[in-house]
Amino acid sequence: MADINLKEITLIVGVVTACYWNSLFCGFVFDDVSAILDNKDLHPSTPLKTLFQNDFWGTPMSEERSHKSYRPLTVLTFRLNYLLSELKPMSYHLLNMIFHAVVSVIFLKVCRLFLDNKSSVIASLLFAVHPIHTEAVTGVVGRAELLSSIFFLAAFLSYTRSKGPDNSIAWTPIALTVFLVAVATLCKEQGITVVGICCVYEVFIAQGYTLPLLCTTAGQFLRGKGSIPFSMLQTLVKLIVLMFSTLLLVVIRVQVIQSQLPVFTRFDNPAAVSPTPTRQLTFNYLLPVNAWLLLNPSELCCDWTMGTIPLIESLLDIRNLATFTFFCFLGTLGVFSLRYSGDSSKTVLMALCLMALPFIPASNLFFPVGFVVAERVLYVPSMGFCILVAHGWQKISTKSLRQNNL
């Protein structure tokens, strides 16, 4: 992995500044009002310990009306802004822009793991300017995404150093990874999904396994025709440590919300209170909708609620074709990346993981969320999209160069 240089950092920071300079002159809008203007946790008179007892909006976690969004470290940065400029919005927007620049630079370092130097810069620049980030960067509450992403990427980079000489286990990077995952989760809940990305990286990238090879090895072991390779045992140990740490974080998180899920209305998420099969069809359709926003962010919206996306109430709805096409395309990429061992398949696999795993908390898969579509939650998944685009550009440019040399 090549190190990033000052020229590349300057380029990325300059591009971010050019894109989001006008946000410095914006005020507080939409959710900013509840999170900033009406949130007493920002005031110096409020004890610091209260930040760790209340949700993102300043409501006690024990109350039924609480949103259950536990992000005390993000609120702590809001409090820092309040100490510097009270409720003058410029400092809040400035810090958001700085955090986005930091994420873009760290993302460049992540890209270097899977792409060449030029393609890595392209991926990072695309991420820096992608229009889907407008809400996350310009809206002050989007700081939860920005701050969580910093520690999300730092945790992943730390884990990539957990393979010591002679395939031994380096425990210090693993311990640092667990700490950074906890910090990312205290900034926003999706930070915990980096553990899944680390697991995929360990099995398919660091150890070089493919799905057929894993199945063959497991089958031989179960039939008593072979033993588990030592490298696989080491992998299992690392994964067990990661999963145990993740389970502990989940248990603590459940305790914090007192085993209660937030209550949302039909206005917030109409599909969540709809009958079968409307609920399932609509939730599945929202996946290609989000993917399309990454591919063609020409129609963005600050408030995707109620009727912005009509419910799918029938199997004959033409929009189900979009869902079917999306899953076919995703399945094709998944099979390619899991079946083959080349560098290209590894890059595609990690890009897919970055797109899919961080999106799971917002997918309504395990629990309903308080929105239909929220562009800010695509902040981390867009990293995978940018890697895919840069990888495609790398393949096309390499092929064109070979043809020109013939």
Side-chain angles (χ1 to χ4, degrees):
M1 178 180 65
D3 289 330
I4 57 179
N5 56 51
L6 182 59
K7 183 178 179 181
E8 292 168 335
I9 295 174
T10 303
L11 174 63
I12 292 171
V13 172
V15 168
V16 169
T17 303
C19 281
Y20 290 101
W21 179 259
N22 60 349
S23 71
L24 299 180
F25 310 101
C26 296
F28 297 117
V29 295
F30 294 104
D31 290 342
D32 294 347
V33 175
S34 299
I36 308 297
L37 299 181
D38 299 337
N39 193 345
K40 296 294 191 293
D41 288 348
L42 273 63
H43 300 174
S45 58
T46 303
L48 276 176
K49 67 177 183 180
T50 306
L51 272 66
F52 295 87
Q53 298 171 345
N54 295 347
D55 65 14
F56 188 56
W57 316 98
T59 305
M61 295 291 292
S62 57
E63 293 190 12
E64 185 177 352
R65 63 189 180 93
S66 170
H67 196 274
K68 308 301 181 184
S69 301
Y70 190 66
R71 305 162 190 172
L73 296 186
T74 302
V75 179
L76 194 61
T77 65
F78 292 156
R79 184 161 174 149
L80 175 62
N81 279 123
Y82 189 92
L83 288 174
L84 294 174
S85 64
E86 294 190 350
L87 294 177
K88 296 177 182 177
M90 179 174 285
S91 74
Y92 294 82
H93 291 296
L94 176 61
L95 195 53
N96 268 28
M97 188 174 72
I98 292 172
F99 283 151
H100 180 53
V102 171
V103 174
S104 300
V105 170
I106 300 176
F107 178 58
L108 173 60
K109 198 167 183 66
V110 171
C111 290
R112 288 280 159 84
L113 293 168
F114 314 108
L115 300 169
D116 62 29
N117 289 355
K118 184 179 291 186
S119 300
S120 298
V121 173
I122 290 174
S124 183
L125 289 175
L126 177 58
F127 176 80
V129 304
H130 201 297
I132 202 67
H133 301 153
T134 302
E135 181 184 8
V137 181
T138 305
V140 178
V141 295
R143 186 177 301 176
E145 269 75 25
L146 309 177
L147 203 57
S148 178
S149 297
I150 291 175
F151 297 104
F152 181 102
L153 294 177
F156 176 68
L157 286 174
S158 175
Y159 187 80
T160 60
R161 293 170 171 79
S162 65
K163 185 177 180 180
D166 301 323
N167 209 30
S168 60
I169 301 176
W171 289 107
T172 301
I174 293 178
L176 181 58
T177 298
V178 172
F179 171 76
L180 292 171
V181 170
V183 174
T185 306
L186 289 174
C187 296
K188 192 176 181 184
E189 297 79 1
Q190 71 178 24
I192 201 170
T193 60
V194 70
V195 172
I197 294 173
C198 290
C199 291
V200 173
Y201 175 85
E202 176 64 32
V203 174
F204 297 101
I205 310 300
Q207 300 301 329
Y209 289 109
T210 60
L211 191 58
L213 180 59
L214 279 178
C215 292
T216 300
T217 303
Q220 291 178 344
F221 175 74
L222 292 174
R223 291 194 300 268
K225 294 183 178 181
S227 58
I228 299 180
F230 181 69
S231 61
M232 185 175 288
L233 288 175
Q234 287 184 312
T235 300
L236 287 173
V237 170
K238 293 168 72 173
L239 296 185
I240 289 172
V241 170
L242 270 183
M243 296 309 294
F244 177 79
S245 303
T246 304
L247 181 61
L248 183 60
L249 288 174
V250 171
V251 170
I252 294 173
R253 183 69 172 80
V254 171
Q255 291 295 319
V256 168
I257 66 173
Q258 300 183 4
S259 304
Q260 295 177 344
L261 289 175
V263 178
F264 299 113
T265 65
R266 186 176 184 86
F267 176 83
D268 298 315
N269 190 349
V273 294
S274 299
T276 301
T278 299
R279 182 171 65 255
Q280 290 78 10
L281 291 175
T282 304
F283 282 161
N284 281 299
Y285 172 68
L286 292 179
L287 299 178
V289 167
N290 280 278
W292 181 248
L293 287 175
L294 289 175
L295 185 63
N296 180 31
S298 60
E299 296 183 1
L300 302 180
C301 180
C302 61
D303 188 23
W304 297 81
T305 52
M306 283 303 290
T308 50
I309 298 180
L311 298 174
I312 297 181
E313 300 178 323
S314 169
L315 289 171
L316 300 179
D317 193 308
I318 191 66
R319 290 175 293 171
N320 289 319
L321 287 177
T323 305
F324 177 76
T325 303
F326 170 77
F327 279 108
C328 286
F329 180 71
L330 196 65
T332 301
L333 287 179
V335 170
F336 167 76
S337 60
L338 290 171
R339 186 172 181 179
Y340 301 104
S341 58
D343 290 338
S344 181
S345 60
K346 292 178 180 179
T347 301
V348 172
L349 177 61
M350 293 309 301
L352 289 177
C353 287
L354 278 169
M355 290 178 67
L357 295 182
F359 187 74
I360 288 177
S363 67
N364 293 283
L365 181 61
F366 296 110
F367 46 81
V369 295
F371 51 81
V372 178
V373 172
E375 293 158 15
R376 61 185 178 272
V377 304
L378 292 174
Y379 189 77
V380 176
S382 68
M383 296 177 185
F385 172 79
C386 293
I387 289 177
L388 274 182
V389 172
H391 178 60
W393 178 87
Q394 177 181 317
K395 299 292 285 187
I396 292 173
S397 60
T398 301
K399 185 177 180 179
S400 299
L401 184 61
R402 288 175 179 173
Q403 289 177 344
N404 292 334
N405 292 335
L406 293 177

